[in-house]
Every structure is written in structure tokens, then in C-alpha cells.
Amino acid sequence: MIDDLLDEMTLEEQVALLSGADFWTTVQVERLGIPRIKVTDGPNGARGAGSLVGGVKSACFPVAIGLGATWNPALVGRMGMALANQAKSKGASVLLAPTVNIHRTGLNGRNFECYSEDPLLTSEIAVAYIEGVQSQGVAATIKHFVGNESEIERQTISSDIDERALREIYLLPFEQAVKKANVMAVMSSYNKLNNIYTSEHAWLLTTVLREEWGFDGIVMSDWFGSHSTVEAINAGLDLEMPGPARDRGAKLVSAVNTGAVEAETVRNAARRILNLLGRLGAFDIASDLAEEAVDLPEDRALIRRLGAESAVLLRNDGILPLAKSELNRVAVIGPNAAVAHVTGGGSAQINAHYKVSPLEGILNALGDDRVCYAQGCRNNRLIDVFRGEVTVEYFTGRTCQGSSVHTEVADSGEFLWFDLPARELVVTDFSARLSATFVPEESGEHNIGMTNAGLAKLYVDGELTINGYDDWTAGENYFGTANTEQRHNLMLEAGRTYQIVVEFASPTTMSAGVNLTGIRFGVEKPLSTKAIDEAIELARFADVALVFVGRNGEWDTEGLDLPDMRLPGRQDELIEKVAAINPNTVAILQTGGPIEMQWLTKVRAVLQLWYPGQELGNVAADVLFGDAEPSGRLPQTFPKRVTDSSAITSDLSIYPGKDGRVHYAEGIFVGYRHYDMTGIEPLFPFGFGLGYTRFDWGLPKISSTEMGADGISVTVDLTNVGEKEGAEVVQLYVHPLANTIERPSKELRAFAKLTLQPGESGKANLTIRLRDLSYFDIELGGFVAEAGDYELLIARNAGEVCSSFKIRLASSWTELVKSVKDKPAESAP
């Protein structure tokens, strides 16, 4: 059928399939009955075609680092199935997820979107996720292929990575997704790899992905991430997104006619698009791109369970779990207490069906009479976004003149326009007038802020207050397309109504090639300098002080990296002062990665919640009061200080980059591999996590001490000897005892998570194979396991080995890749 269609298609029709029709859909060819399909973000929810900050509501699941923290691929597979059905509710058949880039620094703005610093844990979670999604007839799209471990200059920077590090660390999750999960789509990254854009990197997209791994799906660009006509199609990039065509269309037809691109190359790419449509059943089902909000009780329950399994208990001197019956007064404190920060920022954002804040969750568990609240301090990067009715009038042209062509009412002061609401509007030649009223609750100084991707002026009661026209320069907001937030202070009176009007004009050209316009404005009253004192007084007479701190989607977001690993604002001070007045202080963290904790020994417990989705507050209450165990384990090492990390040095070429290049000088020594090599003691090691019960570990049993073609099986007996149900994660690391090449001291090669009732026993079953003993030999062009002795380490985490035993490989083993020619250039020194 596919070849018959291709035979009937003109060159122009084949080329048309190789670009999107618009932001979210592919091109249909009505003449031949070739349908269009819709794609949707994202990793922790299916958003549909709406704005990043609005649209039809969706189920919001835990972020990827939380999924990595579960160490539970089977449960993540269930989430994949649920996500696929959420995608269908948005009329979409391709999910733009999962993200499997490696935690290299902890400062990556998208650290929360990625699973782990370890390629094996990343691979196992990703494979389960993909299998779950694709089992329901929806395609998964693994991304970003490859080397996108930072958001700094991400659209142009070259990630210079040697081939050994690529093969052993950064490519492995993609390889396993292809070979084990048969992933249907791959998304190229924005960056260059060794000075060649990944979207036109023939070695990466064709030699490795298709010829070596046997990938038979499609490769699409990240949005606006393709840069050429001839180079990209010849390298193996099938689909340019979004549409309409920029470097394809007539340009590609011309390239074929002049001989720069073979007609067969276009035909093969079109065949892969058609094959995807066939695999998704698009030819058999009428295209329905309608969107609806589907809020299922089984999704709610799954999100709540995932949240608890992702929660990592980092410190506990016995105060947790809290006994509800013994609590008369609980102080709930902190900037993350009354606000539900359920996900990070950027394209991973979800307009959740609902959001349960930690304060709401604790009130639901204890009742109003036993809970008191104080914010203490702020941690926002931007002024609080305006919440309330906003009327938006749209105009053709950039002057807000004439009659509006469309009017709508929104519920907040933030807008991102991928698509405009009326056909008459052109993204580079439209304007919008936003009108709202604001009534202060208190008199005094208020901060008004605005950031705009485009040009904007903000008026308060007719007076120009913020001028976002003059001297406009790109800043860090909205993926680098908006300016840095401008702020102005005004004295406002409580109870008085103020008219806020924003006049917005689209840019005539798109920053960094990204077709994005947007505006965000907000008003907030600065917290009094006494806010921390008020929180201290609240904590003074409480039985326990629960301090909810961390970051939010303004910090953990696509488009910018973090400035450091400290808690923003005065949060460290808040924790220390509350702990000094209340000996029963518990710190609950919401971050997308590690933070420094100089106050660690001053609190009785520390609980890391990440961003666990719409059930956040219920998850917090479940774990704190013992209705669920925090059974997560760290998927990323927490350093004592940011400078302990492998990539954070005085050499800026290693991070954040220099002269348009970032050199992965640490090679394979990422995460715990680096801490083992240097002897630096982390704050918390990779794989660490406490629980509410105790386990006895039996001595491991192995099927053989000689490694053979079938591998070696290892079993470990566990018994729950505590009084509560709980989970334990058994981790198996390989330590090579004799090497002719520098290798990590140990590497994770298998793991198993068991959940047991009190008194119950179970077996952790682990298997290692020949490749688990290997390293990648660049000159040979393959994986090599040298003959000799290896030590298998059975561990609770990377810093706590429980037992070990030796195995032997009698003769060296090699697994050559299919092609060793056209290898990537070595990283620049």
C-alpha cells in the first residue's frame, strides 16, 4: 500500500509530507486520502494544541526526575498508557516525549524533565514509558538527540563530546529505546554535536541511528530546530517542525531538480512518514483533532501513587511519619506551602485539571482547627502573574487600531501565541489590547512587572507605567524570545479599582528563529521584612513546623539554566530560623534537581518531593502522615556544593561554554562516577533514600562465577522486619578489577525494587550480560570486555555497598558496531 501511494504521489506531494502543516499537525494529501495527524507535548501530560499556559485541561503527572526517583519501570509503564489515552483526548497520536538527556551539572533548566545522571536508570525508565505509550496506539518521541544537557545558547552551541562518552553515557538511552522499545519517533536537538547541527548530522541520524541500531521510525526536528534544505534531508531528518515549510517545500523540490538531493532520498523520507501513519492506524480512522478534558479517577490514583514512590526521604531522625492523633497544632510555612507548584516551566507545562497545594493537602488530612500558615518569604523569579479576568482584543496590523477581529476573555495575565485565534491575524503583523482591573487588598507599595516577546506598553489608569518598546533587547524569558522582566513600583490604595491596559504589538521578525509571541504581566505587594518573624512566631508554639521550600517553574524551566544550587531568596534563612525556634522542624523540598543544604543537621527530617503533579498536596500529606511510604531513591547525586560537580570548574569551556562550544571534558565521569574517581564526598549519593521500615538482606546467590553468553543471574532475598509496608531498591554495580584503560570504579548495571508487607520476604532478581562488563573502544569501533576478574557490588546506593563477589571472564569479548567509518570528530581541547 505504501509503495503504491508513493508511486501515485508527485514530487511536490512527497515533499509536502516532510514539513508540518502548522504548529501541531502534519500535512494531509486529500487527493490520495493521506490523513494528517496531530502531535502534542509533553513528558508529564498531554497538553494538546493550546498555549503553554492555557488550553483544554489535562492530567498532570509527576515530572521526569520524579519518575527516575521511583526506580520503578513497571509503574512508569502504567503512566505511559495513561498518557497515551490523555493524548487521544487531545486528538493527538504522537506524544513528544520522553526526554532522556543526562543530568550533567544539576544546573540545567530542564534537569527536571530528564530522568537521571545514569544512562542505565534513564534507559530502563524510558523503555517502560515508551512501551506504555505505544501499547495504546500512540507514538512516543524520544528526545533530544543528542547532547542537550544545558539551556545556555542551546540553539547554536556545539556540545563537544568524544565518542566513548557518547556511546557509554549519552547515546545509550536512545539506543535502548530503539532496540528494546521500538520507539516510533526521534527528535533531534537544537544544539550542534562536535560542531555539526544534530538536525543535519549524517553520522548521528543515519550511520548510528538507522544503520547500526536499525531504527525504522521518523526523525523530526525540534521546533524551529532545522537549519538547511540539502544538508538536513541528506543527513536523515524526515520531518521539519513546525509548519508551514521553511527549508522544505519549493526549496526542496528545487534541490531535487538540480541534483543536490536524490529523488530517492525524498521518497524514503516520505515512506517513513507514511509508515508512521500506517502504524498509528491513521488511514483507517477518520481524523478527529478535537480536544476534551478527561479527568479519570484511575489517573488521579496513579498520579498520587507515583508521587509517593518518587518522594525521597533524605533525612529522618524518627520524627516521620507524623502521628495525626498526637498533633494539636501544625505550622505550615514557606513559599511553596499555599501554592501548588505541580510541574516545571517551558514546553512541559500542563494546564492541570486541578492542583492541590501542600497546605490544602494537610488541611484535608488534619482539619482547619489544627493547622496554621505563614508564607515567610518569597522565591519567585518573576512578579506574581495577574490572576483575574483579562479581556483580549485582537487587531490586524501592529497598532491596535480599527475594529478588533476577535475578542476573548482569559483568567490570567500570561499569553503565549503559537497560533492566533483568527485567520485574519498574521503572527508578524498583529496587535492585542489586554484590559483588566486590579483591586489591592492592602494599601502600600506594589510591584508591577511585565515581560514581552514582542513590543508592549502597560498603562495603569491611563498612565504609561512600563515601556516595553524602547531599547527592547532579548532576555532570559520565553526561550530567549522575550526581554528581561521590567518592573515599576506604585503606591496603591486598598479597595480602589485600578484599570490595567496592555497594548501589545507582534515582532516583525522572530527571535532566534522561533515563531513565538507572548506577554506576561503581574502585580504583587512585597512581603514585609517581618514576614520571617511572623513565621517564627507561628512555629514557636506548634508541635511540628513543616517548611515547604524550593523553586518553581520560573526557575526550573526550558530556556535558561539555574544561576546556582542555592534556594532562591531568603529560604535558607527561613529554615534556619524556624529550626532554631522549633526543634521539630521538617523541610520539604520542591526542586528539579539538587540543592545545597547548609541547614541540613538543624532540621529533623528532609523530604524531596520534586514536582509530583496535580496531586501534590495529597502526596505530601500521604507521605508526612505515613499513609504512604516515600519509596523514592535519588536518580542524581546531591553534592555538598555546586563546585563539587564534574562539569563545574574554573574552565568556562567545560560549562557553561565558551566561544559557542561546550567541552564535555569529564568524558564518562559523570555523576557518581566522578565522585568515586575524585574521592569527593557527596551530600547524598546516587541511589540514596530512606523509608519507614527496615529490611534484612540475605547474601546474594549467583548462577555462575564465570561470565558466559547467557550472562549471570543474581538473586537477593529481602525480608521486611519493620512494622510498616515499605519498598527497597537493590542496586547492582560492576567494578572491573584489572583494566588497560581508565574506567569508573563502579557502574550501575541492574536494579530491582521490591515492596513488602511487614514480615514478608521477597527476591530481587538481577541479570548482567557481557556488555555490562564492557567499555567502548574508539579505535576498534565497538564495545570491549577484557578478560579477567570483575567484582559485582550489591548496594543500597552508590555510597553503601552491602556485599560483593567476584566473577571471571575467561576471554575478551567484543561487539563491533556495524560501521566504524565517518566517526564524529573528537571534542575540541
Side-chain angles (χ1 to χ4, degrees):
M1 170 188 172
I2 299 301
D3 282 334
D4 291 341
L5 274 176
L6 289 167
D7 289 340
E8 290 189 56
M9 296 178 75
T10 65
L11 172 62
E12 289 76 8
E13 287 170 333
Q14 290 181 14
V15 166
L17 291 182
L18 307 185
S19 298
D22 52 35
F23 221 86
W24 302 111
T25 65
T26 62
V27 168
Q28 63 179 338
V29 182
E30 292 187 41
R31 182 179 73 87
L32 298 173
I34 297 173
R36 59 178 177 165
I37 57 173
K38 183 195 287 187
V39 305
T40 177
D41 288 322
N44 54 296
R47 188 178 60 248
S51 167
L52 296 187
V53 294
V56 179
K57 292 188 175 183
S58 302
C60 183
F61 288 79
V63 298
I65 193 171
L67 302 184
T70 69
W71 291 65
N72 191 339
L75 188 61
V76 172
R78 287 179 53 192
M79 172 179 156
M81 297 171 68
L83 279 175
N85 290 316
Q86 284 288 313
K88 291 177 183 178
S89 76
K90 300 302 180 288
S93 50
V94 178
L95 188 68
L96 302 178
T99 302
V100 296
N101 299 104
I102 297 297
H103 294 157
R104 179 178 178 240
T105 65
L107 296 179
N108 181 9
R110 301 182 85 169
N111 200 83
F112 75 95
E113 276 193 66
C114 309
Y115 295 127
S116 176
E117 70 184 31
D118 183 79
L120 173 73
L121 179 56
T122 297
S123 298
E124 293 293 316
I125 298 294
V127 165
Y129 182 107
I130 293 164
E131 290 178 337
V133 169
Q134 296 190 167
S135 71
Q136 303 303 300
V138 172
T141 309
I142 196 165
K143 61 185 186 180
H144 306 87
F145 194 49
V146 66
N148 179 200
E149 276 71 42
S150 169
E151 292 297 282
I152 296 176
E153 299 178 19
R154 64 174 180 160
Q155 290 174 316
T156 57
I157 203 161
S158 174
S159 297
D160 294 341
I161 314 173
D162 70 74
E163 189 177 3
R164 184 182 176 196
L166 274 172
R167 297 282 191 170
E168 294 185 27
I169 305 292
Y170 299 100
L171 288 177
L172 183 64
F174 295 95
E175 179 185 2
Q176 296 304 303
V178 171
K179 292 181 176 179
K180 290 186 176 181
N182 196 24
V183 69
M184 294 188 198
V186 171
M187 181 186 291
S188 62
S189 54
Y190 284 122
N191 55 278
K192 301 172 184 174
L193 173 64
N194 297 323
N195 218 31
I196 302 173
Y197 279 112
T198 61
S199 60
E200 51 194 50
H201 205 302
W203 178 85
L204 185 66
L205 303 185
T206 297
T207 303
V208 173
L209 182 61
R210 297 195 190 282
E211 295 177 2
E212 294 180 14
W213 298 348
F215 177 64
D216 62 358
I218 70 161
V219 178
M220 72 177 74
S221 71
D222 204 338
W223 266 227
F224 305 98
S226 58
H227 304 272
S228 62
T229 299
V230 174
E231 292 85 351
I233 188 71
N234 285 340
L237 184 75
D238 298 313
L239 181 62
E240 173 196 61
M241 286 300 287
R246 298 176 309 282
D247 294 318
R248 302 278 170 102
K251 293 179 182 179
L252 183 50
V253 171
S254 176
V256 173
N257 290 334
T258 60
V261 175
E262 296 290 335
E264 190 66 16
T265 299
V266 170
R267 182 183 174 95
N268 287 337
R271 177 185 286 108
R272 289 189 284 266
I273 300 294
L274 294 174
N275 281 336
L276 176 66
L277 298 181
R279 294 173 72 178
L280 296 174
F283 290 105
D284 305 318
I285 302 173
S287 177
D288 181 6
L289 308 187
E291 301 190 1
E292 61 177 332
V294 177
D295 182 11
L296 301 175
E298 54 265 37
D299 285 350
R300 293 183 174 206
L302 179 58
I303 292 168
R304 195 161 175 171
R305 180 178 170 187
L306 281 161
E309 291 221 18
S310 70
V312 183
L313 187 58
L314 296 174
R315 174 178 170 82
N316 186 24
D317 70 356
I319 189 173
L320 296 181
L322 299 168
K324 296 178 188 177
S325 61
E326 297 177 8
L327 298 172
N328 295 312
R329 182 178 173 86
V330 174
V332 179
I333 293 168
N336 281 42
V339 181
H341 295 298
V342 300
T343 184
S347 59
Q349 292 180 87
I350 292 295
N351 187 19
H353 291 303
Y354 58 88
K355 301 175 184 179
V356 183
S357 72
L359 179 60
E360 289 173 307
I362 291 167
L363 285 169
N364 291 339
L366 296 180
D368 296 355
D369 57 330
R370 291 192 284 170
V371 179
C372 52
Y373 161 73
Q375 183 174 345
C377 65
R378 291 187 180 274
N379 64 358
N380 47 319
R381 185 175 66 87
L382 303 172
I383 296 295
D384 286 342
V385 70
F386 178 84
R387 300 293 181 189
E389 186 174 290
V390 180
T391 300
V392 188
E393 302 169 272
Y394 293 90
F395 302 84
T396 58
R398 303 176 65 249
T399 60
C400 290
Q401 298 296 316
S403 300
S404 62
V405 298
H406 181 80
T407 301
E408 63 186 18
V409 177
D411 59 6
S412 81
E414 185 170 21
F415 302 86
L416 280 174
W417 292 293
F418 292 125
D419 298 307
L420 293 168
R423 292 183 177 181
E424 301 96 316
L425 300 172
V426 179
V427 73
T428 56
D429 190 28
F430 83 98
S431 52
R433 181 182 294 119
L434 288 59
S435 304
T437 58
F438 177 69
V439 181
E441 295 181 359
E442 299 179 52
S443 296
E445 183 180 75
H446 284 69
N447 294 326
I448 299 179
M450 182 174 72
T451 180
N452 39 286
L455 302 177
K457 293 180 179 180
L458 185 149
Y459 301 84
V460 177
D461 284 350
E463 295 291 328
L464 179 61
T465 304
I466 298 179
N467 187 340
Y469 269 72
D470 298 342
D471 301 320
W472 189 98
T473 55
E476 71 275 20
N477 298 315
Y478 296 148
F479 319 116
T481 65
N483 57 351
T484 298
E485 184 181 54
Q486 297 176 280
R487 299 184 178 188
H488 186 79
N489 295 336
L490 283 179
M491 297 297 296
L492 303 180
E493 298 177 16
R496 177 181 164 185
T497 299
Y498 293 86
Q499 302 293 327
I500 299 176
V501 174
V502 176
E503 293 189 345
F504 175 88
S506 65
T508 56
T509 58
M510 294 302 161
S511 173
V514 176
N515 189 359
L516 177 65
T517 55
I519 182 78
R520 182 190 192 279
F521 70 91
V523 185
E524 70 179 27
K525 191 175 190 306
L527 279 184
S528 164
T529 56
K530 297 180 180 179
I532 288 183
D533 295 336
E534 293 170 356
I536 292 169
E537 287 306 306
L538 204 68
R540 185 187 301 275
F541 302 105
D543 299 318
V544 62
L546 304 177
V547 186
F548 289 86
V549 292
R551 299 192 292 258
N552 55 45
E554 298 170 7
W555 295 100
D556 290 309
T557 184
E558 181 178 358
L560 71 153
D561 277 9
L562 294 161
D564 51 48
M565 282 187 187
R566 303 293 299 274
L567 289 173
R570 299 176 65 187
Q571 294 181 96
D572 289 322
E573 177 187 355
L574 175 66
I575 295 170
E576 295 209 27
K577 287 187 173 180
V578 169
I581 202 68
N582 189 318
N584 295 326
T585 295
V586 177
I588 301 97
L589 305 174
Q590 276 199 271
T591 61
I595 62 165
E596 298 174 13
M597 304 182 201
Q598 71 270 24
W599 38 261
L600 177 62
T601 59
K602 300 176 183 178
V603 298
R604 292 193 63 186
V606 178
L607 178 66
Q608 172 61 264
L609 285 183
W610 318 107
Y611 300 111
Q614 64 193 34
E615 288 282 339
L616 161 63
N618 291 330
V619 169
D622 287 347
V623 170
L624 289 169
F625 300 122
D627 296 319
E629 188 197 38
S631 64
R633 302 292 184 267
L634 287 181
Q636 182 175 16
T637 306
F638 275 35
K640 290 183 177 178
R641 59 196 64 85
V642 66
T643 51
D644 290 344
S645 304
S646 61
I648 309 299
T649 72
S650 59
D651 186 348
L652 298 182
S653 70
I654 298 174
Y655 180 83
K658 185 177 180 182
D659 299 326
R661 307 186 76 151
V662 57
H663 180 41
Y664 286 43
E666 70 278 14
I668 60 172
F669 293 96
V670 182
Y672 65 87
R673 294 164 170 82
H674 159 74
Y675 291 92
D676 285 346
M677 178 186 69
T678 60
I680 297 173
E681 183 182 4
L683 185 64
F684 295 106
F686 172 78
F688 178 84
L690 304 173
Y692 291 158
T693 190
R694 295 175 294 110
F695 291 88
D696 276 352
W697 290 45
L699 292 176
K701 301 172 185 177
I702 62 173
S703 60
S704 174
T705 57
E706 294 287 334
M707 173 59 82
D710 295 330
I712 291 176
S713 298
V714 181
T715 60
V716 181
D717 291 325
L718 296 182
T719 300
N720 183 346
V721 295
E723 298 178 354
K724 294 181 69 68
E725 178 187 77
E728 186 70 295
V729 178
V730 179
Q731 303 167 35
L732 187 156
Y733 296 81
V734 171
H735 169 52
L737 294 174
N739 311 303
T740 60
I741 188 172
E742 186 177 34
R743 299 188 64 179
S745 174
K746 63 177 179 290
E747 297 183 275
L748 183 71
R749 290 298 187 243
F751 63 89
K753 185 173 189 177
L754 276 71
T755 299
L756 301 173
Q757 298 291 331
E760 185 182 6
S761 297
K763 290 183 183 294
N765 298 305
L766 310 161
T767 301
I768 61 164
R769 304 192 184 279
L770 283 161
R771 183 162 161 179
D772 294 324
L773 307 182
S774 73
Y775 65 90
F776 189 82
D777 187 315
I778 296 175
E779 294 305 316
L780 182 64
F783 290 91
V784 176
E786 296 178 309
D789 293 334
Y790 295 79
E791 193 172 24
L792 303 188
L793 310 176
I794 305 300
R796 284 190 171 89
N797 56 70
E800 185 179 358
V801 174
C802 299
S803 58
S804 64
F805 49 91
K806 289 182 182 179
I807 63 169
R808 182 167 183 80
L809 179 63
S811 58
S812 294
W813 169 89
T814 60
E815 181 183 80
L816 299 180
V817 298
K818 291 182 180 179
S819 175
V820 296
K821 64 181 179 179
D822 302 323
K823 292 186 292 188
E826 293 299 311
S827 301

